[in-house]
Amino acid sequence: TEVPTMAQLVGPLRKELADSLFSCRVLVVGAGGIGCELLKNLVLTGFKNIEVIDLDTIDVSNLNRQFLFQKKHVGKSKAQVAKESVLRFCPSANITAYHDSIMNPDYNVEFFRNFQLVMNALDNRAARNHVNRMCLAADIPLIESGTAGYLGQVTVIKKGQTECYECQPKPTQKTFPGCTIRNTPSEPIHCIVWAKYLFNQLFGEEDADQEVSPDTADPEAAWNPADAAARATASDQDGDIKRVSTKEWARSTGYDPVKLFNKLFKDDIMYLLTMDKLWKKRKAPLPLDWTEIQQIESSQEEACGTGLKDQQVLGVQGYTQLFRRSVETLRSQLIEKGEGAELVWDKDDPPAMDFVTAAANLRMNVFSMNMKSRFDVKSMAGNIIPAIATTNAVIAGLIVLEALKILNSDFDQCRTVSLRSQSNLMCTRPLYVQIEDGKGTILISSEEGETEANNNKFLSDFGIRNGSRLQADDFLQDYTLLVNVIHSEELEKDVEFEVVGDAPDKAPAPSAPEEGKNIANGNKDSAQPSTSSKAAAEDDDVLIIDSDEEPSSSTMEASPESSNRKRKHHDADDAASKRKRLDQQPADDDEDIIALD
Amino acid sequence: MTDNKTSKEQKYDRQLRLWGDHGQETLENAHVCLINATATGTEILKNLVLPGIGVFTLVDGHKVSGEDVGNNFFLTSSSIGKNRAQAATELLQELNSDVSGNFVEESPDKLLDNSPEFFHRFSLVIGVQLPESTYLRLGSVLWEAGVPFLICRTYGLIGYMRLIVKEHTVVESHPDNALEDLRLDQPFTELKHHVESYDLDNMEKKDHSHTPWIIVVAKYLEKWYSEHNSQLPKNYKEKEAFRKLIREGILTNENGTPEDEENFEEAIKNVNTALNPTKVPSATEDIFNAEQCENITSQSPSFWVIAHGVRDFVRNEGNGKLPVRGTIPDMIADSDKFIKLQNVYRDKAMKDAAVVSKHVEALLQSVGKPPESTSEQEIKLFCKNAAFLRVVRCRSLAEEYSADTFNKDEITSCMDSTDSEMVLYLMLRSVDRFYQQHSRYPGVYNYQVEEDINKLKLCVNSLLQEYSLNVNVKDDYIHEFCRYGAAEPHTVAAFLGGSAAQEAIKIITHQFVPFNNTFLYNAMSQTSATFQL
């Protein structure tokens, strides 16, 4: 029997919109955390023709939130299983599943033009960039989304009407110079990256960019050529293993854990020590020796940290044992797979993760760093972003609401919605404050991290002085606010700035794009500071930006639709990134901001 | 470790990173009651079953209808006519084999008539799409029993949540911008001695640049004190001068140019936060001064018993300071120096916690409870989070509804601003009034929409009159709410299901701070707000 899918929606939704859901065709890119929720929401909202693509297969760690999958599905195609599960519940939907990468050239502009709407439910930037470009080329509206722990965001992208995904530069994923990884690691992450490279060198696909042995070409070591030649000869005579590939050598030893250990943590380190220039300013590494470690009494080894085994930090001996065990397991996996087989590193594969944990920690020890638990190494090695069902559910709900607006052609009503701390909503539009200096220098941006570097600077560093004009732009509705900065000597004590003029509470129509507004010191008419420049005046005409106010949050409070009743929350962090953020954002008291009359 | 534990660790890996294994454990010990398996209800349960709640009990006296199947993922057309609690439980159970699900084919009203104590057993009761009369009754039963109650409602394009909990204590509030607890302004003896063991002026270069920044700041603070009357650098200018002082300490090479000493750069960067005066935060102070902390009885929850113990510590051995937290941030330093410094803080934290334990033990004895009624681990966790404790107290529904105690100020001041979400609250109260009078919600039948608009308007007016509210509710909202016809669109239900489950997890795990006490979501404008009503 046909189920009255839209029965309840016809009330709140307009009839013609409800009808259009039956005929339109949409593409969902990704069938993971957001994707599962999204597919469910789409069919229950009345969307009939849905195509879904995902190249991934199901892993155990998906099951805490990707509810279309069960244990029996582990290892199968996400897109295919998602389709089958949805059809089991909603047999009337017409779903096509592709177990493939959206970046495959088969999915060309023509393919994208088959759809009225594309929704991203992706987990990586490369694919997001790609879909963004394809949608722009095909002129198909795109809804972009993402979650991380308790945080999430939904953005509508429509050619010619909104910013696109790549309009604003995103922070690039951190990469490290080869010689830092190979010769002079100074942070745990360097050792973790090295250990992942090592896994590939030994068991996986060899990659020339992932060398793990000492880098003799390190410019910092700067030997004189004769010296280097002598060294090269000497190592040749030692039968130095660098002459053959690491993998071949490892294979020739039968993946003997002791030989591997002594090469990696003793011989290679001794070799590094001969590059003495490297250690003039650094603490030199301390080689480890297999035999010596075996002699440590295990009672001396104290496991630190409480709770799960994963969260404990073992000692050198513990990691040495883990190294041996994991090498043995991986060796037998390799043998099982047959001649010429390769393993693929996966953070959720226990022996692979054990190997990286052990190797990274041993290297951390060699370079006098504080060792890390398996749990922490996994976070860093796998770029793990915490993920829960609740955030995905909220974000997927928001995506469909935006989708309905798009199908209704209400682009001016589309919002960028950000889910902030601990499931509290904060709604805003993209907003930037730039200086009218002809160069368009951006002072404050709602894009997280983009203008963080400006936080500690003075306005004068940007050439802002009496008479300067700042322009706050709201992209989605072509709304501009001009702020005239006027210097004054007559501020009361502790008054940092004053805003003169009425803050418009509603955005004007696009035909009237400018609203003048003055910030002046010394005027007693203090209005609500609705601009985002948290500035403070000093007697020498210098202004600095408040360092404990995050630009994004202040701009959000200034956005027209947020009232003072909205919950204001700092960004939530997942526990893992908290420490880093503290450094960037000292929560200091306001004495730091100066200000004086 | 058993296989089961390993597989759980794997399955829950991504969420353990948010609430830890002890949070997971509380979740697995929780028993949640959910009333009404509507779309909103099953979405909430789905989001609780997936992360592995212990037990759920679904209460629902309704039979599955065609409309249910249309907006609810966990009801299929084959279940039409069956009891809704039973049908939904079968499918929800499939999501996670570690969760056990029960169902009761009974309406909440009947349960309230026959055995209200049925509801006392739960860690949390979530009431979904309940009529006003039911949630008011249930609210008073649960309030008396001290069981937290979360009301959830999807009404057209509006989402509503109300949390009712007499007292909810949070040890791990996970603050966003927590400062480190380093005590540099008031160093404890062991820290002083440790700092003294360093002599920055007579050090090898390598050691100098691998000295933890905490030591560097402490050393230069001594220098600063000697020149500044033993006063901390307080304002921007002084802190700048202090930074300069540290910078001058960076070693120079033979040409007089400064060396690259990252630890000194770290010290300079951390001056602001490191010099924050050590004090008991006001929220923690309020907890110490609360009546529940003052009067410990054999019935007192362990939160208050330990709070009392910490308070005794602060007022005695602590000299006005909380127990040392015992953690330090990662920093540039060689392992040896770092670990030694870390141990100084850790040992002090253990010592302080041991003193707190003694106070707690004495306190327990005085009220005739065995010392093992609080665990060592619990006390340690409490001490570590002593600066971030939170107590959430919600107003009861009775207070919200009584003409004498309702929050008039909040309502009127919000209604001053145009399109405040407060108007949605007044509208929901009005449709409830409509239901009371007509036994149905406005606009559920298309042919009645026009006459319902007038009827609803009367309800709005009588509500405002009853509470002497001099506010203006625009006709647009009355039309809009009639148009909704009390529908429960799936996407709004999905949104609310995510939000409500998240709040439920906060309540169950006692981690993070739940909202207090009313949350409203407007799906059309994509805005939300919370009010204390």
Side-chain angles (χ1 to χ4, degrees), chain A residues 29-239:
Chain A
V29 190
I34 298 177
C36 282
E37 297 281 343
L38 186 54
L39 286 169
K40 175 203 67 170
N41 292 354
L42 288 171
V43 294
L44 289 173
T45 303
F47 286 83
K48 282 281 175 246
N49 306 300
I50 302 166
E51 306 202 1
V52 58
I53 179 165
D54 196 315
L55 84 163
D56 215 356
T57 53
I58 296 159
D59 182 83
V60 183
S61 66
N62 301 146
L63 302 181
N64 80 329
R65 59 193 186 284
Q66 300 177 12
F67 72 99
L68 297 174
F69 312 142
Q70 295 171 19
K71 217 167 212 157
K72 62 181 179 205
H73 298 130
V74 168
K76 294 188 176 163
S77 153
K78 284 189 174 179
Q80 192 58 37
V81 175
K83 170 192 162 171
E84 286 160 14
S85 295
V86 170
L87 286 181
R88 215 184 115 206
F89 291 92
C90 304
S92 62
N94 175 18
I95 302 176
T96 310
Y98 305 88
H99 182 201
D100 203 349
S101 164
I102 190 65
M103 290 159 83
N104 180 331
D106 290 352
Y107 308 108
N108 53 17
V109 174
E110 285 313 307
F111 173 80
F112 277 84
R113 286 205 181 114
N114 288 328
F115 304 99
Q116 273 76 59
L117 174 64
V118 176
M119 284 161 274
N120 269 352
L122 285 161
D123 63 356
N124 68 86
R125 192 173 305 148
R128 284 191 170 105
N129 284 343
H130 178 83
V131 176
N132 175 49
R133 289 175 189 203
M134 296 306 286
C135 287
L136 289 178
D139 195 8
I140 300 298
L142 167 68
I143 304 179
E144 170 54 50
S145 64
T147 66
Y150 296 113
L151 303 180
Q153 184 162 314
V154 176
T155 314
V156 172
I157 295 168
K158 167 80 173 116
K159 187 179 177 182
Q161 299 199 37
T162 71
E163 283 192 309
C164 83
Y165 181 70
E166 290 170 278
C167 281
Q168 296 303 326
K170 306 277 184 293
T172 48
Q173 201 182 351
K174 231 178 159 182
T175 55
F176 305 100
C179 37
T180 305
I181 301 300
R182 294 169 64 184
N183 292 358
T184 53
S186 60
E187 292 172 32
I189 184 69
H190 301 150
C191 301
I192 292 167
V193 169
W194 177 86
K196 274 173 75 178
Y197 287 180
L198 178 64
F199 179 92
N200 286 340
Q201 294 289 333
L202 291 178
F203 307 105
E205 191 184 350
E206 282 181 281
D207 179 342
D209 292 333
Q210 299 192 346
E211 264 304 328
V212 289
S213 54
D215 179 11
T216 51
D218 191 337
E220 211 192 323
W223 295 329
N224 68 55
D227 228 9
R231 250 170 247 267
T233 330
S235 58
D236 267 350
Q237 284 163 357
D238 290 350

Side-chain angles (χ1 to χ4, degrees), chain A residues 11 24 32 38 65 82 183 191 277 279 289 515 581 594:
Chain A
C24 85
L38 186 54
R65 59 193 186 284
N183 292 358
C191 301
K277 277 209 170 152
W279 317 113
D289 182 87
E515 282 275 323
R581 297 188 46 89
I594 278 319

Side-chain angles (χ1 to χ4, degrees), chain B residues 56-276:
Chain B
F56 70 81
T57 295
L58 234 171
V59 172
D60 197 334
H62 296 88
K63 298 250 181 292
V64 178
S65 70
E67 285 193 5
D68 282 330
V69 177
N71 74 346
N72 195 325
F73 195 76
F74 296 93
L75 298 172
T76 57
S77 27
S78 63
S79 56
I80 292 177
K82 278 197 206 167
N83 173 269
R84 204 162 62 178
Q86 181 189 3
T89 300
E90 280 165 17
L91 291 180
L92 283 163
Q93 187 94 69
E94 277 185 22
L95 294 175
N96 192 340
S97 54
D98 296 326
V99 176
S100 86
N102 311 313
F103 60 91
V104 176
E105 302 173 64
E106 197 98 65
S107 77
D109 283 303
K110 214 168 221 162
L111 286 168
L112 284 168
D113 289 341
N114 298 333
S115 56
E117 59 285 349
F118 166 82
F119 293 102
H120 293 187
R121 73 192 73 175
F122 301 109
S123 333
L124 169 70
V125 175
I126 305 174
V128 181
Q129 310 295 83
L130 292 176
E132 186 181 59
S133 60
T134 310
Y135 65 71
L136 287 177
R137 271 179 87 191
L138 184 56
S140 86
V141 166
L142 295 172
W143 182 261
E144 286 313 313
V147 176
F149 183 29
L150 183 62
I151 300 175
C152 299
R153 188 168 191 184
T154 298
Y155 198 97
L157 296 177
I158 305 303
Y160 165 86
M161 289 197 283
R162 168 73 154 93
L163 177 65
I164 306 116
V165 54
K166 232 184 222 172
E167 175 187 287
H168 176 74
T169 55
V170 182
V171 175
E172 293 165 273
S173 60
H174 298 276
D176 291 335
N177 295 305
L179 290 169
E180 300 288 345
D181 181 25
L182 301 176
R183 309 284 166 113
L184 290 173
D185 60 325
Q186 301 177 49
F188 44 92
T189 320
E190 297 85 342
L191 179 58
K192 261 190 217 156
H193 289 157
H194 184 70
V195 172
E196 277 162 18
S197 72
Y198 280 85
D199 181 2
L200 291 181
D201 298 331
N202 297 295
M203 252 181 168
E204 293 265 334
K205 156 107 215 329
K206 260 177 221 158
D207 281 325
H208 194 264
S209 49
H210 284 91
T211 300
W213 69 259
I214 292 176
I215 304 285
V216 174
V217 170
K219 282 289 182 192
Y220 283 91
L221 204 51
E222 283 169 17
K223 210 169 191 172
W224 174 272
Y225 282 149
S226 67
E227 293 159 13
H228 293 84
N229 227 347
S230 297
Q231 292 292 308
L232 276 180
K234 285 206 177 67
N235 53 32
Y236 181 77
K237 271 190 182 130
E238 286 178 1
K239 283 182 183 170
E240 267 304 289
F242 183 58
R243 286 191 191 100
K244 196 164 159 258
L245 185 70
I246 298 178
R247 191 169 290 285
E248 284 162 3
I250 296 179
L251 294 182
T252 50
N253 64 14
E254 51 279 13
N255 308 323
T257 44
E259 298 272 8
D260 217 7
E261 293 202 289
E262 289 175 276
N263 57 332
F264 272 69
E265 297 300 335
E266 272 190 348
I268 291 163
K269 209 173 77 188
N270 282 297
V271 160
N272 277 346
T273 45
L275 298 185
N276 236 44

Side-chain angles (χ1 to χ4, degrees), chain A residues 8 12 37 40 64 88-89 150 348 368 370 372 375 379 390 400 402 425 427 565-566 582 592, chain B residues 14-15 17 43 46 67 71 73 94 175 178 236 272 330 335 338 410 483 490-491 502 512 526 528:
Chain A
Q8 298 206 313
E37 297 281 343
K40 175 203 67 170
N64 80 329
R88 215 184 115 206
F89 291 92
Y150 296 113
D348 290 311
S368 299
N370 308 301
K372 297 264 170 209
F375 192 78
S379 280
T390 51
V400 175
E402 294 303 310
L425 265 193
C427 304
R565 298 302 320 169
K566 301 270 149 58
L582 276 178
D592 223 21
Chain B
R14 302 300 189 269
Q15 68 200 40
R17 286 161 205 280
E43 286 300 305
K46 166 186 115 259
E67 285 193 5
N71 74 346
F73 195 76
E94 277 185 22
Y236 181 77
N272 277 346
D330 265 351
S335 303
F338 179 84
E410 177 99 343
R483 198 172 68 87
H490 184 79
T491 47
Q502 191 51 57
F512 300 95
Q526 298 286 39
S528 68

Side-chain angles (χ1 to χ4, degrees), chain B residues 493-506:
Chain B
F495 173 91
L496 201 65
S499 308
Q502 191 51 57
E503 295 305 315
I505 291 170
K506 290 185 200 171

